[in-house]
Amino acid sequence: MATVNEERLMDGKTGKWEIVIGLEVHAQVTSNSKLFSGAATAFGAEPNSQVSLVDAAMPGMLPVINKYCVEQAVRTGLGLEAQINLVSVFDRKNYFYPDLPQGYQISQFTQPIVGKGKLTIDLADGTSREIGITRLHLEQDAGKSIHDLHPKMTMIDLNRSGVALMEIVSEPDMRSAEEAGAYVKKLRSILRYLGTCDGNMEEGSLRADVNVSVRKPGERFGTRCEIKNVNSIRFVQQAVEAEARRQIDLIEEGGEVKQQTRLFDPTRGETRPMRSKEEAHDYRYFPDPDLLPLELDPTWVENIKQGLPELPDVKKARFVSDYGLSPYDAGVLSADMASAAFYETVAKGRDPKIASNWLTGELFAVLNKQNLTIEQSPVSAGALGGLIDLIADNTISGRIAKDVFAEMVETGKLAKDIVAAKGLQQITDTGPIEAAADQIIASSPDNVAKYKAGNEKLIGWFVGQVMKATGGKANPGVVNEILKKKLSA
Ligand code: ADP
Ligand code: MG
């Protein structure tokens, strides 16, 4: 990195420090069956109910590669604008652990299926940065040890054993907790667009190993520590902050950072050691003799490329250029495919900025509050469009529209039906507006005098009073016009 962004530096007693971060993200491949067996992968199934003889490592069982999982990895690589390696190799990564019945994990080491790529992160100050992707490889997940079901024994659930994972490794290109969070956010968004990982961090479908080191700006990279298995974006950010702070304090007190694997404890907000480099496993990788090198047909890869959806960055740029949205709103609306589709349905044939305001404002507030996804929205895209149409053709005012929207959320009724049933149509007929205006003018001689003496801002107060008197149903433009005429008479 040639330039140092001062604002992203962290303070220490001896001056400013730069944080360096690289992430290794494990993403569970969206697939009904496992990487080398036909067993199911559904989340939350009865323990050990989705385990084939291959997953349980019965003697003589042979792995058979799942073509769909390979396709998903290739699709992901293409979505990250990465090199697709037409020949890759599966290796055995050897270690002993009770939830790993084979005694090794099938992974890819020297020749992964996907090589260098990149991803653009979006930051709160409106800027974007490119982060390098080092590689993506396919590997099997292990089973799960359950320590709290029996006082003396550990239980093993092999449902996850053999489930396909993509390990996506970034370059050490990130420089702050915010950037690390933005990276996971964008990666998750791309995976969901591609349909290659559901990105569900609470269910463990996406988890990150966070590598952190610190240095004085301009110096060489410091020694890194790796914080294992962080399972939310907020925790990734907190882990970076806590670990960088720990390393800075340690160095400034004359200590030295030792390469370690650590764990983040969210309740205490600190990282603690798990194992040191000396205790690190020697995995004795070697090519798995049960599996041939994986060879991909370039035409097959090209077909997958042709089938890719429009991805978030491209969609965001299109929302800015086609609809005139701010980059921020365009980013919010394109972050997930369903919101983007919802938006485009509402915006079609309507004012795109008004449509965007209704989504990012009112609708998202309701979804957030009720903890709903856009697919579960109590107001459909068509129904929201209908409401916006009533404002556009002056049937109702923007103020009344907010009340109508609240009732749509609550009852599921259409805007036009609510407006008709409650008689909320805007009063454009000048009669009642004139009457209300006359009454306000007659009862507030002080303000009339002030207005006539030159305090023109008071027109707002008069408009407010008339709006109030008409239950908010008067057309504000008409009210303004009538009042000005009467007050200057
Ligand atoms: P290993 O294979 O031993 O895990 P890698 O060199 O592949 O090591 O790096 C793993 C991760 O650590 C990558 O995401 C990389 O970007 C990151 N990383 C490497 N060096 C540093 C460093 N000095 N500070 C922070 N992250 C680093
Ligand atoms: Mg590693």
Side-chain angles (χ1 to χ4, degrees):
M1 284 292 125
T3 56
V4 174
N5 184 329
E6 288 286 330
E7 279 172 29
R8 287 174 199 148
L9 299 181
M10 202 176 224
D11 283 317
K13 285 197 285 280
T14 60
K16 302 259 184 204
W17 291 83
E18 187 174 38
I19 312 175
V20 175
I21 308 149
L23 297 182
E24 296 162 277
V25 170
H26 286 91
Q28 181 176 330
V29 175
T30 298
S31 161
N32 292 330
S33 50
K34 296 184 181 179
L35 184 53
F36 298 110
S37 85
T41 59
F43 178 78
E46 184 76 8
N48 296 309
S49 63
Q50 300 181 154
V51 187
S52 77
L53 297 172
V54 175
D55 310 319
M58 288 299 160
M61 293 299 119
L62 288 173
V64 177
I65 186 82
N66 178 337
K67 187 176 177 184
Y68 185 67
C69 292
V70 174
E71 183 180 329
Q72 292 285 61
V74 169
R75 186 173 288 123
T76 306
L78 293 168
L80 297 171
E81 296 173 55
Q83 164 79 36
I84 305 300
N85 295 325
L86 296 178
V87 178
S88 65
V89 172
F90 285 103
D91 298 292
R92 288 188 181 180
K93 179 179 180 179
N94 300 280
Y95 64 93
F96 177 78
Y97 205 75
D99 60 23
L100 187 75
Q102 292 169 141
Y104 58 85
Q105 176 191 30
I106 305 178
S107 181
Q108 297 189 304
F109 190 49
T110 53
Q111 296 189 66
I113 185 164
V114 175
K116 283 197 184 309
K118 59 182 191 247
L119 176 155
T120 302
I121 57 171
D122 304 315
L123 302 168
D125 64 5
T127 61
S128 293
R129 279 195 59 208
E130 198 169 278
I131 304 297
I133 303 283
T134 313
R135 58 186 273 158
L136 174 157
H137 66 254
L138 274 169
E139 63 184 27
Q140 305 174 292
D141 204 351
K144 195 173 167 201
S145 303
I146 303 160
H147 303 289
D148 55 5
L149 278 183
H150 191 280
K152 286 192 179 144
M153 287 190 280
T154 288
M155 303 293 182
I156 307 284
D157 176 8
L158 291 180
N159 281 351
R160 292 192 71 98
S161 170
V163 164
L165 301 178
M166 296 178 281
E167 181 170 333
I168 303 163
V169 182
S170 87
E171 292 291 304
D173 285 351
M174 285 154 275
R175 294 291 177 271
S176 68
E178 189 203 354
E179 292 187 0
Y183 174 87
V184 179
K185 232 180 256 174
K186 181 55 78 64
L187 179 59
R188 184 176 62 178
S189 171
I190 292 172
L191 293 169
R192 285 178 169 165
Y193 262 74
L194 295 167
T196 56
C197 168
D198 65 26
N200 203 330
M201 298 188 83
E202 305 85 71
E203 293 178 2
S205 306
L206 194 73
R207 42 194 205 263
D209 296 344
V210 185
N211 295 273
V212 178
S213 66
V214 298
R215 64 172 173 183
K216 284 285 174 68
E219 285 182 0
R220 295 172 46 173
F221 281 166
T223 304
R224 72 186 154 103
C225 286
E226 176 178 4
I227 306 145
K228 277 276 177 205
N229 270 328
V230 187
N231 64 357
S232 86
I233 290 173
R234 192 159 52 91
F235 292 164
V236 166
Q237 294 180 319
Q238 290 173 354
V240 168
E241 294 276 340
E243 179 58 17
R245 177 51 58 204
R246 184 190 72 84
Q247 292 181 13
I248 291 169
D249 291 349
L250 180 65
I251 298 169
E252 291 190 326
E253 276 156 25
E256 199 183 316
V257 176
K258 294 210 181 67
Q259 192 170 333
Q260 268 178 344
T261 303
R262 301 177 68 89
L263 287 174
F264 179 63
D265 179 345
T267 48
R268 306 181 64 163
E270 60 187 32
T271 67
R272 56 186 155 78
M274 193 171 130
R275 58 173 181 257
S276 68
K277 195 185 177 187
E278 295 78 56
E279 300 161 85
H281 301 290
D282 173 4
Y283 293 117
R284 293 171 295 126
Y285 279 99
F286 64 88
D288 192 316
D290 291 339
L291 291 158
L292 289 166
L294 188 60
E295 288 183 30
L296 308 180
D297 174 358
T299 324
W300 183 71
V301 173
E302 188 52 36
N303 282 339
I304 298 172
K305 190 172 183 179
Q306 295 311 320
L308 290 187
E310 180 185 42
L311 290 171
D313 294 335
V314 177
K315 206 184 277 284
K316 177 181 167 182
R318 182 167 64 79
F319 281 12
V320 170
S321 64
D322 286 11
Y323 297 122
L325 300 184
S326 70
Y328 179 81
D329 286 340
V332 170
L333 291 170
S334 59
D336 79 274
M337 227 171 175
S339 300
F342 193 108
Y343 170 69
E344 292 206 270
T345 307
V346 178
K348 191 161 189 221
R350 303 193 176 91
D351 183 319
K353 281 192 192 164
I354 291 178
S356 161
N357 289 343
W358 275 93
L359 250 78
T360 58
E362 307 297 314
L363 184 67
F364 285 0
V366 166
L367 298 181
N368 264 342
K369 198 163 157 207
Q370 302 190 10
N371 203 12
L372 300 173
T373 65
I374 190 99
E375 288 95 335
Q376 300 164 320
S377 172
V379 177
S380 71
L384 181 57
L387 174 66
I388 294 172
D389 290 341
L390 294 181
I391 310 168
D393 69 9
N394 282 320
T395 305
I396 54 173
S397 66
R399 244 277 302 116
I400 292 286
K402 302 225 162 146
D403 298 341
V404 174
F405 179 75
E407 193 164 336
M408 291 168 76
V409 169
E410 212 165 286
T411 63
K413 287 187 191 152
L414 291 177
K416 65 174 170 50
D417 296 336
I418 296 168
V419 169
K422 295 202 155 176
L424 296 172
Q425 290 88 343
Q426 200 157 220
I427 306 169
T428 40
D429 177 8
T430 52
I433 298 178
E434 301 232 10
D438 287 337
Q439 206 185 345
I440 303 297
I441 288 171
S443 62
S444 4
D446 286 1
N447 280 339
V448 172
K450 280 185 204 157
Y451 178 84
K452 288 192 167 169
N455 188 349
E456 291 189 357
K457 274 196 215 146
L458 268 176
I459 192 72
W461 180 83
F462 283 104
V463 172
Q465 294 302 304
V466 175
M467 291 303 288
K468 210 164 160 188
T470 55
K473 292 190 292 182
N475 178 313
V478 177
V479 173
N480 215 298
E481 214 171 286
I482 289 176
L483 276 166
K484 277 191 176 153
K485 208 186 299 162
K486 287 187 186 293
L487 285 166
S488 60

